[in-house]
Amino acid sequence: MDWITHEEDVWFDFRGEHPNQLTAGRFYRGTVDGFAEFGVFVDLSPSVTGLLHRSELDRRLESLDWDRGDTVFVQVKNVRDNGNVDLGWSIRQSESEFRGARIDDPDGAPEGEPFEADAADDSGSKPVKTRPKQDTESRHEPSEDDEVSADGAAGNGRVSEQEASAETESESPSSESVTSEPVDTDTFPRVAIDDLEDRVGDDVSVEGFVVDVYQTSGPTVFEVRDETGSIECAAFVEAGVRAYPDVEVDDAVRLAGEVELRRGELQIETEALDVLDDDDAAAVQGRVEDAMTSRARPASVEPLAAHAAVEALVDEVADAAEAVRRAVFDGRPIVVRHAATADGYVAGAAIERAVLPLIREEYPTSDAEYHYFTRRPLDEPMYGMDAATNDVTRMLQGRDRHDEKLPLVLLVGTGSTVESTDGLGLLGVYGARRVVIDAATADEEVADVSEVLVDGGESGELSTGALAANVAAAVNADVRDDLVHLPAVSYWEHTPDAYVQAAEDAGYDADRVREMREAVALEAYYQSYQDKRELITDLLFDDGGGLAGHVSEQFRIKLDTEVETAEANLETREAGGVHFAVLDTDSYTHRFDFPPTTLLLDELHRRNRVDDAPFVTVGVGTDELHVRSTTPVDVRAVAAAARESVPGAGVTAFGIRDGRIEFLSGMHEDVLNAVVDAIADQI
């Protein structure tokens, strides 16, 4: 057993089924399963996946020359109590750099039993790639009793040339069908994929679309989807050689073969595969489209509370929910863009709460939710070209490097104003799907550059969080009870009574709702570009009150301190019967600490407004100002009037939702006076 003292000189082939069967410190061979912003997911066996975090790499993640399906070597650093496996980087990335290979089979071979590895494994061959693999457990794999192949590839469908050859003679009808007489797919009875469970051992045909193709060291695997489901189909012509090379993703096909059960998963051993002509392809397209539409469309939309503003939008809510559900079923990534505010985070978290269970159910791999769902908060109150360029760059990298489908971009609480049309238009140029959900009234231009638009209209009674929570309930009715309190959390004031009562009925009284709102607002400010998935989940869904109460206390201390300072430096003035409170935000706020200017102005406006007359709070900085008013103000009209009064000052309405106007810093005082006069004239 001298090998035990030299474990770091060998790599191990893991045969276990549970993470806790791994041994920390050992080097294991794995297969790249997918990529995320924070690292690489590596399959160590069909049922165990680990994360190689970007901090463990010796280079930038973007420069890592790995593709999905590549064989890699990693070190197990730690197995956590929840089953998550932390991996470390291995500078040795070929078998020849290790002194040997050994089996790690907790239930089978003796501990550390050596085996010979074939140097052919270092050939550098790579699989056919499309999108990140949805179900690693259903790949074409050797059975439980198979020996390790000559290249050491147990599991993950990799078998040696010798084994593959043996399989062609004894087990694999697919190899014979490819190399001998052609098989007419019309002679096999067509069966819906959902009915194949009762047809194990039968020769059948299926019609559908190819949604994925990947090449193993043995067969080529095609994933085919029809109107009822999807199945993997293994086609073997020669070990590691692409079968049916003319068949590509999105082709409509008729495939024939024997239904088999491998490792508990259905699979078809392909004997023939035909690409359908235009008429037959159109028929398949029609069946699949009808089925997908029927499945994606919510059976009904039931608002979370009796609220007329939402009840008037039932059709639009259903359209948005259908688009989100369809993206999940199509294997299309969903990117949620929301404002980095309490309302924005509540809205984004509501969608996330509804979508993640659907993804886990549809694609039962541990990392699927990271492949198919992303929240990216926005600092700006609109979806500008900077954010759009970032999203387009990422989606094109995902398409070109990993063959991912272009995403559905869901803009929540942003994207409804004309300032977002250029960004939305850029997404449209590349064919990304766009859904806008915003409580504010949308500009007409937005409808032309978005596929689905849900806005709150002119009632002014909706928060974005309330609207998004209702969409989320339509997306996934099973999580409805988790969402009931969210609308109340999303309002700072004037919360509709129906939402207050719904939250209370769900166990969230007024104090707890306030604490959650304030806690989310504080956390939304720090690292505003991060989704903070786990923290936001704890605050909104998994907290008994202790965490939210603690963070809320910090929120109140910081806000009260800043308000006290600001109130001592407010300038008051009156114009045209309108009372104004003006704060020099450059001089009398901490610009890089909580609270942000917008939240501070909201609080100042609430505390200092005059009830019996129009009241406006203006925060003015070096080159921008923000307006808060008790009477509705058309900020674009105000900016236009100020621009006319102060020509050359570059006055522009920028961020209508936020009451923001920009100008050239040298015209600070003149622009402020012009804005005050324009507001007074308008009111």
Side-chain angles (χ1 to χ4, degrees), residues 260-279:
E260 294 190 352
L261 194 65
R262 301 180 72 87
R263 288 186 179 268
E265 296 290 340
L266 289 173
Q267 179 178 279
I268 295 178
E269 289 294 327
T270 306
E271 298 186 29
L273 194 161
D274 297 331
V275 177
L276 298 176
D277 60 23
D278 293 342
D279 291 340

Side-chain angles (χ1 to χ4, degrees), residues 173-197:
S174 59
S175 62
E176 182 179 347
S177 67
V178 173
T179 58
S180 60
E181 292 297 322
V183 174
D184 185 355
T185 57
D186 288 330
T187 64
F188 289 65
R190 188 169 72 83
V191 179
I193 290 175
D194 195 40
D195 296 331
L196 292 178
E197 188 173 358

Side-chain angles (χ1 to χ4, degrees), residues 284-562:
V284 173
Q285 173 71 39
R287 292 199 303 267
V288 172
E289 186 67 27
D290 290 346
M292 292 294 286
T293 299
S294 176
R295 185 184 180 199
R297 188 74 179 179
S300 63
V301 175
E302 183 181 352
L304 291 171
H307 190 198
V310 173
E311 292 165 355
L313 298 171
V314 166
D315 290 342
E316 291 85 349
V317 168
D319 290 342
E322 179 183 346
V324 173
R325 288 172 58 84
R326 181 63 185 266
V328 173
F329 301 148
D330 283 344
R332 187 177 302 281
I334 297 173
V335 176
V336 176
R337 285 294 209 169
H338 62 80
T341 62
D343 188 27
Y345 267 91
V346 168
I351 300 296
E352 179 178 271
R353 191 70 169 183
V355 171
L356 293 189
L358 295 181
I359 293 175
R360 297 184 191 115
E361 180 179 351
E362 195 74 9
Y363 313 109
T365 57
S366 60
D367 59 326
E369 65 187 72
Y370 296 99
H371 286 315
Y372 292 109
F373 188 90
T374 304
R375 273 197 297 108
R376 296 176 188 155
L378 288 164
D379 282 330
E380 299 289 351
M382 76 288 296
Y383 186 70
M385 284 297 291
D386 185 60
T389 300
N390 180 294
D391 289 342
V392 167
T393 299
R394 293 188 185 194
M395 78 184 191
L396 294 181
Q397 288 175 342
R399 183 195 67 184
D400 296 339
R401 290 183 59 188
H402 314 303
D403 295 311
E404 293 179 357
K405 291 185 177 180
L406 296 180
L408 167 71
V409 179
L410 182 60
L411 302 175
V412 185
T414 184
S416 68
T417 62
V418 69
E419 290 83 9
S420 299
T421 54
D422 287 343
L424 285 165
L426 181 62
L427 293 176
V429 167
Y430 285 97
R433 299 183 179 181
R434 293 136 288 149
V435 174
V436 177
I437 301 172
D438 200 333
T441 303
D443 292 330
E444 292 181 4
E445 296 89 340
V446 175
D448 296 331
V449 288
S450 59
E451 294 180 292
V452 179
L453 174 62
V454 188
D455 70 354
E458 299 180 358
S459 68
E461 298 180 9
L462 273 172
S463 67
T464 296
L467 185 56
N470 279 282
V471 172
V475 168
N476 188 352
D478 291 342
V479 300
R480 177 185 175 84
D481 291 345
D482 294 344
L483 306 172
V484 170
H485 65 291
L486 293 186
V489 176
S490 68
Y491 288 89
W492 280 101
E493 57 182 349
H494 307 311
T495 306
D497 292 339
Y499 290 132
V500 174
Q501 187 61 52
E504 188 170 332
D505 292 344
Y508 298 86
D509 61 23
D511 286 340
R512 189 172 176 193
V513 166
R514 176 187 56 78
E515 288 177 349
M516 295 172 73
R517 178 189 306 122
E518 293 175 349
V520 172
L522 180 64
E523 297 300 345
Y525 173 76
Y526 293 107
Q527 292 187 315
S528 58
Y529 53 89
Q530 296 284 358
D531 64 6
K532 299 180 279 286
R533 178 181 291 185
E534 291 79 11
L535 177 56
I536 296 300
T537 296
D538 284 347
L539 288 171
L540 292 178
F541 303 108
D542 298 333
D543 177 39
L547 176 61
H550 172 75
V551 179
S552 171
E553 182 178 358
Q554 301 305 310
F555 168 94
R556 186 54 54 188
I557 291 172
K558 290 176 177 292
L559 182 63
D560 287 347
T561 300
E562 192 77 0

